[in-house]
Structures are given as C-alpha cells and as structure tokens.
Amino acid sequence: MAYTVTPTPAGPVGSQYCVCKVELSVCGQNLLDRDVTSKSDPFCVLFMEVNGKWVELDRTETAVNNLNPAFAKKFIVDYHFEEVQKLKFALFDQDKSSMQLYEHDFLGEFSCTLGMIVSSKKITRTLLLGNGKPAGKGMITIAAQELSDNRVITLSMAGRKLDKKDLFGKSDPFLEFYKPGDDGKWMLVHRTEVIKYTLDPVWKPFTVPLVSLCDGDVEKLIKVICYDYDSDGGHDFIGEFQTSVARMCEAQDAFALELECINPKKQKKKKNYKNSGIIIVKSCKITRDFSFLDYILGGCQLMFTVGIDFTASNGNPRDPSSLHYINPMGTNEYLSAIWAVGQIIQDYDSDKMFPALGFGAQLPPDWKVSHEFAINFNPTNPFCSGVEGIVQAYSACLPHIRFYGPTNFSPIINHVARFAAQATQQEAASVSPWLLSFQAGNGESLQRLLRKKKITQKLDESQQNCSCGKSEISGERTETRVGDAMRLRSHTGEEAVRDIVQFVPFRDFRN
C-alpha cells in the first residue's frame, strides 16, 4: 500500500495521515434492455456517501448498444483505510443528452464499501432495482488497482493502409488497449478517439498511468485492437497485435515503430495475406506525474501574497449591505473568506509570514489612489504573521482608508511576478509564488487585465481569485471565462503556457 503524508490543522507537514489513490474499473454483464429497437446504451455513475447523502463523484462514458459493457473510463478514489467509505455504482441507459439522471432509464445499482473492493481486488455482484429486487440477470464487476506508481506513459499513434470496412467510404478507425487481468482475461484500459473517413489515421497523443496500462511492468504484454467505428455500436474488427511498453519505448520522435495489424481470420483464409494495415508508434515517453504532495514533501514552500479589493464597488464599509461591513459578530464576507482559505494555506509556508496588499483605495494623508499598498501601512515590511496577522491588519486598516477605484490588479500581479521570475532561476523548486486575491464581482476585470499582460510567459506563478458577495454571472460561465474550462488567451490570440488562474465564487463553498 502506498502512503503519503499530509498536514493536519494542529501542526506542520509531517503529521502522519495514511492515504492512497485507488483506480476502479467497472464492467457490466447481462444488463436490462430498455430500448425497443436496439440494445441499451449504458453508463455508470459513482456516488459516495457524505454526511448521510449520496454525492456524485464521476461518470463513465456511454457504451452504445451494449448489454455487456467494459468501460474505459476509470474512477479514481482517495482511499482512507481508517474510514468507512460507502460507494454506490448506478447504471443507466442513456436516452437523451441531458445530465439529469432522471432523464435516463435506470438499469440497476450496487452499494458497498471501498474497503470491501480493495480487500478483494475484484468483486462481481448482482445489480438491484430501487425496490431491492434483482435487475433481471444484470451483474456488475468492479476491480481495484492501487495507483502507488506515479509514472505516466504518453503515446502518439498513427495508422497506415488500414483495411476498408465501409461500403461507401473509408473506415472510421479507433484503437483499444488491453492488459491481462488476474483472471487471465483481457481488461480494457484505454480507447482512443475515432478518426473519420480515413485509412491513414493520426490519433491525438494521450497519457495514461503506467500502472493502468501494464501494472507498472514495462515487459508485460498488452494487446491493441483496431476497430472501424459504427454508430450502432457494432464496430467492425480491423486487426490486432500484442506488444509491450518496453517495445513501444523504442519509438522516438525521429524513429517511429511500425507494428503489423493482424486479422487472424483473414490470415487463416488467405495464403498471401500480409496484414490489415500498419499501426505506427510515433513516440512513447514515460515520465513521472508528481502530485501536489510530492512537491510539498520534497521541500517546496508555497509563498503566498494576499491581495484585497478596496474599490467602491464593495459599498460603504459603514453600511450593513457592504461586503466590508463588520457585523456585530465581528466578521464580514472578506474576513470569512480570508479565514476559510488562510487556515488551509498557512500550513504550506514554513515562516507563515504573508505579504498582504490592498488595491483601489485612497490613502492618508494626501488621499491619493493606490493599487499596491501594505494593509499594515508598513511599505518596507508588508508581511503579516499568519492568518491572524492578516485579519488584524485588515480590521485596523478599514477605518483609515477611502474606497475608490478603478479595479486595477496589475501592480499586485507585477509584485508577485517579480518573485516568480526569481524562482525560475533556481534549479530546485524550493519556492512557488502564489497570489491569493479576494475581490468583489465576477472576475471579468481580472481576465481583461490578463489578456493585456504577457500571460504566455513561463513564470512559476499561480493566481487564486476568491470572489466575495453575489455575482450576476453564474459560476459555470465565470469559470469558463477565467480559465477553468479553457486556457486564457491574450488579445492577440496567444494561449497561456499553463493554467495559472483559478476563479472561485466563495458563496459556493462557504459552508
């Protein structure tokens, strides 16, 4: 079993807390047929019980026209051996494009604990309907695999002169990768996308955990099958071959590896049969996918700078409707957000000294607008001691400034970027600069600024923006606009090198 160490609220990194990640593979057998003119199109939904309620964790892809699906999508779950983690696997027949489960036909479910699956490694159980009766002859098989190996494999694949399977056009090829299971049967690991109307496909590079593909054993045989896609789920077999990761690693960017795709039936019937095409491994690379904790345990410190919005859009701090109004309980939206986030992040900084800066306010004695001022009014030492120090400096600062504007993040972002530029000069990732910004609104002004800045520069800087108060833009739309669903682009169309910005509406997580 793999163990990692995570911090506890009472102490620094190093307190023992046993966690490992488990990959769950799901197959169905003899599922109910809910469609009249064809077979069911099943998908599986994983739920976990949280505080007495079932919470959806993830969903598999939909297996078209298939009563015995082997889902390529795996469920990754954190396994806490000291907790009872109740899981429920529910299968549905997809009838519409809706995400609402009640729009789809229920095929049965199975509930158990994660510990039960892990201890058995593989279980097969009867699917049950809502009334507790069996869902026909439907069964579910769940296999568990520890993800203690953090290596990942990235493959770039192509095909050449594949067999033509469509009467009025070329094939629509895709690949499936299988590894041998403990029971001797082949287990589906990955499925590529379908490339339409071609006998010479080039698939997008894809990355999977090495332990998923071959249990971490680069010499273990894996099987690759090439199919011609059919919309009714009856995909035509083109050919197959067996290889190993070690063999595929012979392929490099300049030297491709070519493997014959064989159809055994054609090979038996035709004396002059050579192959059903060539599958090309254009490149195969194994790297390590380091987690957040790998960096923390390796000695990396997170250097946080806090930015607070003091623009007039927040409202008069003496008015109870203002986000900065401190109520009789001694708190407000900003204080709640600072406490909620600050208590977590301070564990990842050894000295717990955080620069806390404000923007958008007029300062005494000349009442000039500043977009980069120390909220403790000490420009030579803007550091606050822990989250308590930030809260104290914020509360003391409020009565002595005038809210103004506009919303200008640029000076504070430049402030952190200077530290980020210094960090890139170090060989070891000893410090990672972060900007934690607390603001009103929906983050559109932040995105406009980032588009104007050189967002593609390779700086080791991350930005976490916490929105306080109510936003007119829904969380989904805001996230899309501020980089969660797609990378930011500059006004000239340049895409950011990596996703360095996260926008979080505090109201969605305050409880």
Side-chain angles (χ1 to χ4, degrees), residues 440-454:
N442 52 45
E444 286 188 319
S445 53
L446 171 66
Q447 189 187 24
R448 286 195 295 270
L449 170 66
L450 291 173
R451 281 179 170 171
K452 293 178 182 178
K453 291 176 65 66
K454 295 179 180 178

Side-chain angles (χ1 to χ4, degrees), residues 35-108:
D35 293 341
V36 178
T37 58
S38 63
K39 298 177 181 176
S40 294
D41 305 319
F43 65 94
C44 183
V45 183
L46 174 62
F47 297 88
M48 176 177 284
E49 189 178 69
V50 179
N51 297 326
K53 297 182 179 179
W54 290 110
V55 176
E56 180 179 338
L57 297 185
D58 206 353
R59 301 183 184 190
T60 67
E61 78 280 12
T62 298
V64 178
N65 201 24
N66 194 339
L67 301 183
N68 300 282
F71 298 107
K73 172 72 178 289
K74 312 299 180 185
F75 296 126
I76 308 298
V77 183
D78 284 335
Y79 171 53
H80 305 263
F81 83 95
E82 76 284 2
E83 295 181 12
V84 177
Q85 295 173 272
K86 294 182 180 180
L87 302 179
K88 179 164 67 176
F89 300 82
L91 288 101
F92 296 85
D93 170 30
Q94 181 171 322
D95 286 330
K96 302 177 181 179
S97 60
S98 173
M99 293 295 292
Q100 301 296 327
L101 293 178
Y102 65 80
E103 298 277 3
H104 309 285
D105 293 325
F106 180 58
L107 300 179

